[in-house]
Amino acid sequence: MSKPRVYLASPYTHPDKHVREARYKLACEAAAYLIRHGILVYSPIAHTHPICEMGRLPLGFYFWSELDLTFIRDWATHVVVLTLERWEKSLGIKHECLEAQKYNLPVLYWNYLDRSDNIVEKLVGTPRGAQ
């Protein structure tokens, strides 16, 4: 059985740079946790935050959507939503979940800060196409 390939969706855009930085760090921690447990991960926040900062590139989903949705469409077997504060208000997460539904990918919600939420067990038990 091949390893799950997770697109890790998480909120990012915020007017306060410190909030964006904190969200970036949590996305990195969550991605590292999954990787440590043998899960392949693409986290748009962990992978592009430094590029955005260094290149002074635009924030927000629309600028990054082509890249992000390509990972969902062509690579991911699962979308995992990191349920950080105000995740349900995120335009990006809304579009990412819609894209996952379009391609019949399981969407799992993960409260990373709650260590009893065993996301690895959930990932191993949900193949692509199972909702």
Side-chain angles (χ1 to χ4, degrees), residues 103-120:
Y103 292 96
N104 202 28
L105 298 180
V107 177
L108 304 172
Y109 297 87
W110 182 27
N111 180 355
Y112 168 69
L113 300 175
D114 177 0
R115 297 301 182 190
S116 69
D117 187 354
N118 190 345
I119 192 68
V120 173

Side-chain angles (χ1 to χ4, degrees), residues 15-68:
D16 184 338
K17 180 179 177 135
H18 299 295
V19 172
R20 290 193 308 271
E21 188 68 26
R23 289 174 174 177
Y24 160 69
K25 288 179 181 176
L26 283 169
C28 288
E29 286 178 23
Y33 176 88
L34 293 172
I35 293 165
R36 199 169 28 257
H37 286 86
I39 308 295
L40 302 173
V41 179
Y42 172 73
S43 166
I45 304 311
H47 288 96
T48 64
H49 169 81
I51 296 167
C52 185
E53 291 289 310
M54 296 299 291
R56 295 188 181 103
L57 296 172
L59 300 174
F61 174 73
Y62 291 116
F63 181 80
W64 297 97
S65 66
E66 183 179 4
L67 174 65
D68 295 348

Side-chain angles (χ1 to χ4, degrees), residues 46-108:
H47 288 96
T48 64
H49 169 81
I51 296 167
C52 185
E53 291 289 310
M54 296 299 291
R56 295 188 181 103
L57 296 172
L59 300 174
F61 174 73
Y62 291 116
F63 181 80
W64 297 97
S65 66
E66 183 179 4
L67 174 65
D68 295 348
L69 297 181
T70 297
F71 269 96
I72 293 171
R73 182 183 64 245
D74 296 339
W75 180 79
T77 58
H78 299 75
V79 170
V80 172
V81 176
L82 200 55
T83 59
L84 304 177
E85 185 178 353
R86 298 185 55 82
W87 70 270
E88 66 281 346
K89 303 287 186 194
S90 169
L91 177 68
I93 289 175
K94 190 174 295 183
H95 282 281
E96 291 158 341
C97 288
L98 287 171
E99 191 76 0
Q101 289 175 348
K102 192 162 121 181
Y103 292 96
N104 202 28
L105 298 180
V107 177
L108 304 172

